[in-house]
Amino acid sequence: MSDRTLPLWVKIVLVVSGLMQLAFGLRLLVDPASITEMWPWPMTAVTARLLGASTLVSVPLALLSVWFNRFSAARLPMIMIFAYRVLQLAAGFVHFYQFDLRSPTTWNYFGGGAISLIALGLAVLRGSSLGSAVTTSHPFLRGDAGLNMGASGKLTFRFISVLFIILGIGFFVLGKNGSWLWFEPQGTLTNLTARLFASPMVGLGIAAWIISTSSRWRQVGIPAMGMCTFGVAGILALGLDFASIQPPTPFGYIVVVAPLILLGMGVYLLQPARSAI
């Protein structure tokens, strides 16, 4: 079946979600103390900034998917956002008692999250039959160029995929008991924070694996931009509060170097050599 454009309702969900994530992520990067106004539990400055950085991943995934308007290019970004939402909602329901039902944050977290989850789930499942036939293609997507990763590139992406998924599952299952995997001193990690950070780790891990199995460059171009965004924002977040980085064990440095790893993955995918006719 030929490639399709995105239907209007999917575009609306992606644009609204992307703009909200942009405002939330930038605010936390600039003013981490504002977390007390937007979130139902406290965080340290460096954790709040890193949360902002992880939130910004969804911005290029959502907005570029709408801009390029092509299902084959938007499919993996939508899968990534879907995975984020599943784990974010799961973390929220596990700790539902910490949310104030009178707060707009609660309604946005659960209501907005559920709407996004349902809409993107339907879009991923039925996207190849929605919209209309593609008639034009943006130069960024490199047409029908194949993805040229090579055996070593695919193996590296799969190793990182497994590492991130294991790390994300570990945070979700262990909660604050997984502080030996965290980058701050023992006792600073809370159950809800640990489970919240599981979502970007698992989502990026899933993306890395799917990328290693993709055949066309346009299928990975937008995720590559998301990885670069997280890489730059994450490095900035950790750099602004570098003194707070005190992992209780060497395993905590995995989180510290994760933004650098993701930046490297994104730059690698964006290189001209990764596409081949």
Side-chain angles (χ1 to χ4, degrees), residues 40-260:
W41 69 95
M43 289 184 185
T44 62
V46 66
T47 299
R49 282 197 167 107
L50 192 60
L51 175 62
S54 69
T55 301
L56 291 175
V57 178
S58 296
V59 177
L61 298 182
L63 300 185
L64 290 180
S65 292
V66 173
W67 180 261
F68 297 134
N69 194 25
R70 189 162 183 170
F71 175 70
S72 62
R75 179 177 175 271
L76 180 51
M78 290 192 295
I79 290 175
M80 294 171 70
I81 299 173
F82 181 87
Y84 296 163
R85 292 300 189 188
V86 168
L87 286 171
Q88 285 172 353
L89 287 173
F93 281 119
V94 170
H95 300 278
F96 189 73
Y97 62 92
Q98 289 188 241
F99 288 84
D100 181 1
L101 293 179
R102 299 167 297 178
S103 170
T105 297
T106 300
W107 287 95
N108 177 58
Y109 186 95
F110 291 101
I115 292 172
S116 177
L117 188 69
I118 294 170
L120 295 183
L122 288 173
V124 169
L125 291 174
R126 299 190 56 216
S128 58
S129 61
L130 298 173
S132 57
V134 170
T135 57
T136 60
S137 179
H138 193 281
F140 173 82
L141 298 178
R142 305 184 188 180
D144 290 326
L147 176 60
N148 180 26
M149 292 184 67
S152 59
K154 292 180 179 179
L155 184 62
T156 300
F157 269 65
R158 290 176 183 177
F159 172 79
I160 294 172
S161 168
V162 173
L163 176 64
F164 279 11
I165 290 174
I166 290 175
L167 187 63
I169 292 174
F171 279 130
F172 195 89
V173 172
L174 295 174
K176 66 180 180 181
N177 292 325
S179 58
W180 55 279
L181 293 169
W182 198 236
F183 62 93
E184 291 183 277
Q186 197 85 21
T188 57
L189 182 65
T190 66
N191 283 321
L192 191 46
T193 297
R195 293 183 174 118
L196 187 67
F197 274 94
S199 62
M201 299 302 293
V202 173
L204 289 163
I206 292 173
W209 188 275
I210 295 176
I211 287 170
S212 73
T213 66
S214 298
S215 59
R216 300 291 182 189
W217 189 88
R218 67 172 178 263
Q219 298 169 324
V220 309
I222 298 175
M225 293 297 294
M227 290 176 174
C228 288
T229 299
F230 190 9
V232 172
I235 292 170
L236 176 63
L238 295 174
L240 288 171
D241 291 287
F242 188 76
S244 299
I245 300 176
Q246 301 175 34
T249 73
F251 291 103
Y253 285 101
I254 297 175
V255 176
V256 176
V257 300
L260 186 60

